[in-house]
Amino acid sequence: MGTTYFFAYFLIPKYVFRSNYKLFIIYGIFAIVFSTYGILLTIFGNFIFLTNLKVTNVPPMSRNYIFVLILVYLVVGLVSFIRVLKKNSETIAKNVRLENKLLEGNLRLKDQELQYLKKQIHPHFLFNTLNTIYGFAIARSEHTPELILKLSNLLDYILYQVQKPLVPLQEELAHIEEYISLEQIRFKDTLQVTFKKELKSKNLQIPPMLFIPFIENAFKHGTILLGTLEIAIQIQASEETIFFEVTNTASKLNSNTNPIGLGLQNIEKRLQLLYKNNFTLVSEQTKNSYSIKLTIHL
C-alpha cells in the first residue's frame, strides 16, 4: 500500500504529469529499491515473529519472494495506470470544456459582427427608399401612398424575418420583387428589369437580406443609357449551389471611382463569416455595363 500510494499519488502527479520523466525514473528506481528492501524485511519479520521459525507455518505464496514482488508491483502498476487514465480523462474533459467555451465565444463574436453588419445594411437600404418617398411627396405624386405601403411591407420583413439566422429562399425572392416594384415606381418608364429564377429545390434557406445590397447597388450606381436603366437579375439554386448575378447598365468608371458601396463591402464581410471560403464573388466592368456574380457552395 505504501509503495502504491507513493507512486500513484506522489511520483506520478509530481513528475509524470509535469513531463519531468528523468526525475521520475531516478526516484522510481530509489522507490523500487527501498520497497524491495521493505518487502524483504516484512517477509523475514513475519517468518520470525508470526511462524515461530517454522517454514510449514508460512503461507505457500509468501514462501516465493519473486512472486511477492511481482504481486506488489502488479498492484502498483495497475493503480498507477488507473490514476494516469483518470487524469488523462479529466484533462481531455477539461480541454473539451475549454474548446466549447472558446467556440461559444467565437460564435458570439461572429453573431455580434453579423448583427453589426446587418444594422449597417438596413439604414443604407432605408435611406435610399425614404429619399424616394420624400421626392414623390414633394412632387405630390399619386404613387406616394403606394410607396409607403410597399415600404411598410419591406419594414415588416426587415423587423421580423431578418432576426432569424435563415429564411426560405422564396421569401427572400419575394422581398426582392417587392423592392424592385418600389424602384419601378420611382424610375417610371426609364427602368427595365428582368428577373429570372430557376429553383431546383423549394426547401433552400439562406441568411436574410443576402442579395438586396447587390440589387440596391445596381439601382444606385446604374446609369441610364439611351433613356433606359437596364437591370438583369438571375438566380439559380440547387441543393449544392446557389448562383446569383445582377447586371446593370453603367458608363465606364473612372480609375478613381469605387463601384462597391457600403452595402457591398458589408455583404462581403458577412459572406466570409457565413460561408468562409465556400463562395466566390466576381465583379466585371465593361464599357456599358457592370455585373456581379456570386456563387455559394452549400
Side-chain angles (χ1 to χ4, degrees), residues 195-209:
F195 190 9
K196 296 182 179 180
K197 296 171 286 185
E198 184 180 340
L199 307 181
K200 295 181 180 180
S201 176
K202 297 182 179 180
N203 299 321
L204 287 179
Q205 292 190 327
I206 63 170
M209 301 286 290

Side-chain angles (χ1 to χ4, degrees), residues 122-138 144 147-152 154-155 158 179 182-183 186 216:
H122 298 167
H124 183 56
F125 166 72
L126 293 176
F127 178 77
N128 290 344
T129 307
L130 289 173
N131 269 348
T132 301
I133 295 176
Y134 176 73
F136 273 75
I138 290 179
T144 304
L147 282 171
I148 295 175
L149 180 60
K150 290 184 180 294
L151 178 60
S152 175
L154 293 175
L155 285 175
I158 291 173
Y179 175 79
L182 191 150
E183 293 288 7
R186 179 166 71 97
E216 187 181 24

Side-chain angles (χ1 to χ4, degrees), residues 180-192:
I180 292 173
S181 63
L182 191 150
E183 293 288 7
Q184 284 175 328
I185 296 175
R186 179 166 71 97
F187 280 90
K188 298 181 179 179
D189 297 333
T190 61
L191 177 65
Q192 180 179 340

Side-chain angles (χ1 to χ4, degrees), residues 38-177:
I39 292 170
L40 279 173
L41 289 180
T42 302
I43 291 175
F44 283 108
N46 291 337
F47 178 70
I48 294 172
F49 297 105
L50 298 181
T51 64
N52 297 321
L53 300 178
K54 293 181 180 180
V55 177
T56 55
N57 293 335
V58 178
M61 289 188 297
S62 299
R63 299 175 188 174
N64 191 332
Y65 174 67
I66 301 299
F67 175 79
V68 173
L69 284 179
I70 292 175
L71 184 62
V72 169
Y73 289 115
L74 184 63
V75 174
V76 171
L78 181 62
V79 174
S80 299
F81 174 76
I82 294 174
R83 173 73 171 162
V84 172
L85 191 62
K86 181 180 178 182
K87 179 66 175 179
N88 187 53
S89 299
E90 292 174 352
T91 303
I92 292 174
K94 184 178 179 180
N95 291 337
V96 170
R97 288 195 297 269
L98 289 175
E99 288 177 0
N100 289 336
K101 288 182 179 179
L102 288 174
L103 181 60
E104 183 180 354
N106 289 334
L107 289 175
R108 287 180 180 176
L109 288 174
K110 287 188 176 183
D111 183 64
Q112 290 175 0
E113 187 167 354
L114 282 174
Q115 294 302 323
Y116 172 72
L117 294 175
K118 287 180 182 179
K119 289 177 182 178
Q120 283 189 309
I121 292 171
H122 298 167
H124 183 56
F125 166 72
L126 293 176
F127 178 77
N128 290 344
T129 307
L130 289 173
N131 269 348
T132 301
I133 295 176
Y134 176 73
F136 273 75
I138 290 179
R140 299 181 182 275
S141 171
E142 62 181 7
H143 294 293
T144 304
E146 185 180 355
L147 282 171
I148 295 175
L149 180 60
K150 290 184 180 294
L151 178 60
S152 175
N153 294 334
L154 293 175
L155 285 175
D156 178 74
Y157 181 85
I158 291 173
L159 291 175
Y160 296 103
Q161 299 300 323
V162 84
Q163 301 303 324
K164 301 176 182 178
L166 295 173
V167 296
L169 177 59
Q170 291 183 326
E171 286 188 16
E172 184 76 5
L173 297 181
H175 173 62
I176 291 173
E177 290 175 341

